[in-house]
Amino acid sequence: MRAYRILAALLAAWSPSAPVMAQTYTGVVAPVAGGAVSGSVGAAGGASIGPTTGPGSAGALTLPAAVVGANVPVVVASPGNAGPKAQRLSQPAAGASVIAASQGQTATPATRAAIAGTVAGQSVATSHAVAASAAGKAVSGNPDLGSDPQAVANIYEDGIKASKSALGTAGEVEAPEASADTKAPLILGLRKGDHKVQKPIVVKKKDGTLHPLSYDPAAPKVGLVKSVWNAVTNIPNKIRLIRRYMKRVDELVNVAITDENLWWSVSRLKTVSTQEGILRASNSLLVNQWDSGSSLKHASPSDFRESSLNTDSRIRLFKRAMDLEEPTLQYQYAFAQNLHNLLHTMSHFLGWTFQERLLLAALKDKSAPRSIWATEELRHGPVLEAAYNMSRDHDRPPLYQQGEAPRLPQVTSKPYLALSGMANRSLAELAAGSAYLTIKANAVKDSPTDRALDGIYRDEVYHYVIMSMVNKFAMKQESRWTRLYRIFRHDLDYRPPPPNDTVIHKRAFGSPLMAFEVAYALFAIDKRIDRFLKLLPVETAMELIGPHYLTTQALDEAVAKGNLIPTKHFRMEQNPDLTRDEVETLAKRFPAWFDASERNVKASDIREVLTTYRTHRLTKPEYWAKRKGFERKPNSPSGAVVIERPLSAAEGTALRLEFMAPGREPVVTIVDYAGAGTALWQADMSNLSLLQVGALMDAEKWEGLAQALEAKKKDLSYEELLRKLNRTVPYQQNPLPLVQD
């Protein structure tokens, strides 16, 4: 059964999802037996509501000040109404379109805005009534909407019971700009008037949880006899389409992906390995460059007119893929933490540990840039969401990113964690690449959807070759079959729980054909990568992988020699990329996996990180000589170890460090060689703030350095350090709290 569940996950046969919630509105709407209900927003946050047909008197609906004067679509449950429980309340603006935006998304605002701005040329607007979270990250409030739920969605209470009249979709509405307290989602790819179903369809179960549907229950059903007849008569054409799919997969894997492409990807590790961890650059030039926007805006259902998979199968692939991509900033944090002691270079390629971010803020007063991997992966969810919503069939509801629980940072740093972690990441890249390849190969060649997905497909293949290289050469998994066994075997490790609000598909399981096509794509990618790895010399691969400690003995020796300072454990709730609202929502969706009360940092933990850095890093000549341009000089007459690097050739100045004794921070001297080697400035590093130490690391000339050092005499407070970890507006509103202990 376990093996089947793993396969089902890989084949995108099962999909977790997030709640759809609304801002809180107060008031009562009079019962209406049938027909439309219209409402217009009045002055000072009030609204006058009256039925256009049917019995009942006007009721009152209080709206937030942020939406006064706007046309806001909502669904209101009418207490005591004998008719359908969900009734639509809207005053549509003709020809307008809804694309809800949010400041609280996992993807950066710039990334989402860049994609959304190209979708069918539509502008991005904020819907103040939508609470469906495109990233499963939440909106504040209880996911149980109680007796008065409101959302831009079709809500069925206690299961799928509502009639067609309750599903009326009265046109789209363009809402005003978001206010600071708006946490509405971004649903990318909604089109103007092209679809019968314009809004998400949601089931509210008896336990209060909300579950989006991937189909319209009010749509006419095809009879069994007709379904069987259509399937039988379509067999010849289906065989032709499957052959077309297999040919397209072979082309996309064996022709489109070249050895030069794969070499470029793995060689990026060389650049990462030469950079000091906490001082490494953003490496934006090493990010796979592509642009899907121009293609996304032209995507349509006709892109899949030659698909061998039916609509339900494609929806499963799209939905599963976008949900797996959504927690990117949680993945990068967990794997950076878990691998930092064991596979240093891989950890830096994937993300930043908490203490690296803390030290960067303390030394440079900066927030950490995105890692190469995270920069690439953050693009995937929004592209998938937009591609699906633009190309979906007209009778299918829109879907949005919701996310699932990631594996968490582990307390242990034992070598097994590297074995398991690399297997987990390999499976993630291979499964995602296989899903994208399956969708691409089912799309018409060179169609907008095909072109739009090319970049994210290549990203996953380029990531998988890196993971496979580490597994083959560092983990000694020589055979591709051994590697495949490992990635499925270790998928059982540290398993996250399912969310408590899973999406509901039309059928419980995916089709056998979908399973076959995904497996065909998976083995094609793996075989292609294996062929490339056979050409890679062992010495080259090991140089790219960098230092690694994959046995208990190697790990203990590295710590004993001072080559490795163990990375301190921090929980996922302490991830600076997660806002307070996001952590609280994750705790609601995964109550056994996240604890919102753990979102804080102890002062003693910050003190330990900073003290350890000063004691075990700044006191060692090897630390300064490696990757910082310092060269060993003859010892001083007193026996001190001396290292030096030039500041400015034009000035004739240099930065000298003299280590007077083991375990002691060096004496820093700015030497003026143009003036017979006199000292322009000198200080004991132990008396300098970390900001001053960071300024010396960056110094390129003496001119202006004295003033910069004087301005940085005081270290940042612990509260300031925590605030510097993430400069986005949602985080700044509620940064990680400091606990004095």
Side-chain angles (χ1 to χ4, degrees):
M1 185 63 182
R2 275 295 182 89
Y4 177 78
R5 288 184 64 183
I6 296 172
L7 180 60
L10 176 63
L11 300 180
W14 160 116
S15 184
S17 56
V20 176
M21 296 176 287
Q23 290 181 275
T24 301
Y25 289 61
T26 60
V28 178
V29 177
V32 177
V37 180
S38 66
S40 59
V41 179
S48 176
I49 309 299
T52 55
T53 60
S57 58
L61 180 66
T62 302
L63 299 175
V67 297
V68 172
N71 294 318
V72 182
V74 294
V75 173
V76 179
S78 301
N81 186 6
K85 292 186 179 181
Q87 299 189 55
R88 180 163 300 284
L89 193 69
S90 64
Q91 187 178 22
S97 171
V98 169
I99 298 182
S102 172
Q103 295 178 349
Q105 302 303 317
T106 296
T108 61
T111 300
R112 286 183 169 274
I115 296 171
T118 60
V119 176
Q122 300 175 80
S123 61
V124 178
T126 299
S127 170
H128 293 272
V130 181
S133 170
K137 308 278 190 215
V139 293
S140 58
N142 193 320
D144 183 348
L145 298 183
S147 62
D148 191 26
Q150 297 110 26
V152 176
N154 300 306
I155 299 182
Y156 293 80
E157 300 248 1
D158 300 336
I160 306 170
K161 298 179 181 177
S163 65
K164 279 188 183 181
S165 62
L167 290 174
T169 55
E172 303 280 1
V173 178
E174 183 169 322
E177 290 298 318
S179 64
D181 61 348
T182 298
K183 298 180 179 66
L186 178 65
I187 300 180
L188 294 177
L190 295 189
R191 235 192 240 284
K192 250 192 232 180
D194 285 4
H195 297 87
K196 295 178 182 177
V197 184
Q198 295 281 3
K199 299 178 175 66
I201 300 177
V202 179
V203 168
K204 182 181 180 184
K205 292 190 175 181
K206 292 181 179 180
D207 62 1
T209 58
L210 295 172
H211 302 255
L213 301 182
S214 66
Y215 65 100
D216 181 358
K221 296 182 179 179
V222 180
L224 177 62
V225 174
K226 187 174 182 180
S227 297
V228 172
W229 175 254
N230 289 342
V232 171
T233 56
N234 194 45
I235 288 176
N237 185 54
K238 180 69 74 173
I239 293 174
R240 178 187 68 82
L241 293 176
I242 293 172
R243 287 176 175 171
R244 171 200 165 276
Y245 166 81
M246 296 170 67
K247 181 179 179 181
R248 182 77 176 121
V249 166
D250 294 342
E251 177 186 348
L252 289 169
V253 172
N254 297 314
V255 178
I257 302 294
T258 66
D259 286 345
E260 288 75 16
N261 296 150
L262 299 176
W263 170 248
W264 170 82
S265 180
V266 298
S267 65
R268 294 182 290 178
L269 294 184
K270 181 62 177 177
T271 301
V272 175
S273 69
T274 61
Q275 298 172 345
E276 165 59 31
I278 57 175
L279 305 179
R280 61 188 184 271
S282 64
N283 291 317
S284 58
L285 296 178
L286 298 180
V287 172
N288 185 26
Q289 304 295 325
W290 49 264
D291 173 26
S292 63
S294 57
S295 298
L296 276 174
K297 65 183 180 182
H298 297 298
S300 70
S302 65
D303 292 351
F304 291 101
R305 61 183 180 273
E306 294 184 10
S307 174
S308 53
L309 292 180
N310 60 26
T311 299
D312 290 313
S313 294
R314 295 197 305 272
I315 290 176
R316 284 178 182 275
L317 289 174
F318 266 117
K319 187 67 175 71
R320 180 64 174 161
M322 68 174 78
D323 281 348
L324 286 170
E325 293 290 2
E326 188 278 332
T328 290
L329 294 181
Q330 299 167 53
Y331 296 149
Q332 66 88 22
Y333 177 83
F335 283 96
Q337 289 281 142
N338 288 344
L339 296 177
H340 198 253
N341 291 336
L342 307 164
L343 287 158
H344 214 59
T345 301
M346 277 305 304
S347 172
H348 292 171
F349 177 77
L350 288 168
W352 289 73
T353 66
F354 187 92
Q355 55 259 54
E356 284 180 315
R357 298 177 72 151
L358 197 64
L359 289 169
L360 181 63
L363 289 165
K364 302 297 184 67
D365 192 13
K366 291 181 180 179
S367 300
R370 293 275 184 252
S371 67
I372 298 172
W373 180 88
T375 301
E376 293 178 338
E377 291 283 341
L378 275 173
R379 307 176 293 187
H380 296 185
V383 169
L384 286 163
E385 183 182 292
Y388 167 74
N389 285 312
M390 296 295 285
S391 65
R392 64 190 166 99
D393 288 349
H394 298 302
D395 60 348
R396 294 301 177 121
L399 293 173
Y400 43 89
Q401 295 180 79
Q402 297 171 289
E404 65 169 35
R407 287 173 169 81
L408 300 179
Q410 301 298 317
V411 179
T412 178
S413 291
K414 293 181 179 178
Y416 183 84
L417 193 59
L419 179 68
S420 177
M422 289 306 303
N424 295 154
R425 282 267 42 92
S426 296
L427 178 58
E429 311 299 347
L430 180 57
S434 303
Y436 306 160
L437 177 57
T438 302
I439 297 171
K440 269 179 65 65
N442 271 279
V444 174
K445 184 177 181 179
D446 292 327
S447 64
T449 300
D450 177 39
R451 295 195 302 270
L453 298 182
D454 190 68
I456 65 175
Y457 159 64
R458 287 178 176 273
D459 281 350
E460 298 295 358
V461 174
Y462 296 163
H463 296 165
Y464 182 60
V465 70
I466 292 175
M467 310 304 164
S468 296
M469 179 181 71
V470 174
N471 288 336
K472 177 174 182 175
F473 294 100
M475 304 292 182
K476 308 304 180 185
Q477 299 168 10
E478 296 290 339
S479 164
R480 63 179 285 237
W481 301 109
T482 301
R483 294 193 294 275
L484 285 173
Y485 163 74
R486 282 293 179 184
I487 67 177
F488 288 108
R489 156 65 183 86
H490 292 293
D491 187 51
L492 301 175
D493 298 340
Y494 317 112
R495 289 279 294 178
N500 56 19
D501 51 359
T502 54
V503 70
I504 298 177
H505 291 293
K506 197 171 185 178
R507 293 178 176 81
F509 301 100
S511 69
L513 178 58
M514 184 190 75
F516 164 76
E517 292 197 357
V518 172
Y520 187 86
L522 184 150
F523 285 112
I525 293 173
D526 184 67
K527 186 176 181 180
R528 174 70 185 90
I529 297 307
D530 184 63
R531 191 165 70 243
F532 169 77
L533 293 179
K534 288 178 178 178
L535 303 175
L536 199 61
V538 176
E539 299 78 12
T540 302
M542 297 303 283
E543 183 183 3
L544 293 172
I545 294 168
H548 51 280
Y549 311 104
L550 302 180
T551 66
T552 302
Q553 181 181 353
L555 188 61
D556 292 343
E557 289 178 355
V559 173
K561 293 177 180 178
N563 296 332
L564 175 68
I565 304 300
T567 300
K568 185 173 177 58
H569 173 74
F570 285 93
R571 294 174 58 95
M572 180 62 78
E573 292 88 344
Q574 297 169 302
N575 181 355
D577 286 316
L578 297 178
T579 66
R580 184 187 67 181
D581 287 350
E582 289 169 341
V583 171
E584 289 176 352
T585 298
L586 287 168
K588 292 175 183 177
R589 299 186 64 225
F590 308 98
W593 206 241
F594 288 90
D595 182 354
S597 67
E598 294 288 344
R599 188 183 182 265
N600 57 65
V601 181
K602 295 179 180 179
S604 59
D605 288 338
I606 298 177
R607 190 178 307 112
E608 180 184 345
V609 169
L610 301 182
T611 302
T612 299
Y613 178 71
R614 298 202 75 134
T615 304
H616 295 283
R617 283 288 182 253
L618 298 186
T619 60
K620 296 186 180 298
E622 298 83 5
Y623 174 74
W624 290 93
K626 189 176 182 181
R627 303 173 184 147
K628 295 182 178 66
F630 283 89
E631 295 181 358
R632 182 72 179 265
K633 298 293 183 180
N635 287 2
S636 69
S638 63
V641 175
V642 179
I643 60 175
E644 192 175 283
R645 73 173 176 88
L647 284 181
S648 169
E651 293 178 338
T653 54
L655 175 61
R656 177 186 296 167
L657 303 181
E658 295 180 70
F659 296 83
M660 302 299 183
R664 179 177 167 183
E665 292 182 38
V667 173
V668 187
T669 306
I670 306 297
V671 183
D672 181 13
Y673 281 114
T678 57
L680 297 174
W681 182 88
Q682 189 174 69
D684 191 311
M685 187 174 286
S686 61
N687 296 326
L688 301 180
S689 71
L690 282 173
L691 286 174
Q692 289 177 312
V693 173
L696 289 170
M697 289 178 174
D698 283 343
E700 295 181 353
K701 59 182 179 179
W702 166 243
E703 182 183 355
L705 181 58
Q707 294 86 338
L709 292 170
E710 183 64 25
K712 298 176 183 288
K713 289 178 67 173
K714 185 179 179 181
D715 273 317
L716 297 175
S717 69
Y718 289 177
E719 290 89 349
E720 289 173 319
L721 282 176
L722 293 178
R723 188 172 287 277
K724 299 288 184 181
L725 297 181
N726 184 337
R727 296 179 187 264
T728 62
V729 172
Y731 176 84
Q732 289 294 312
Q733 291 172 345
N734 291 288
L736 280 163
L738 177 70
V739 176
Q740 296 288 354
D741 61 340

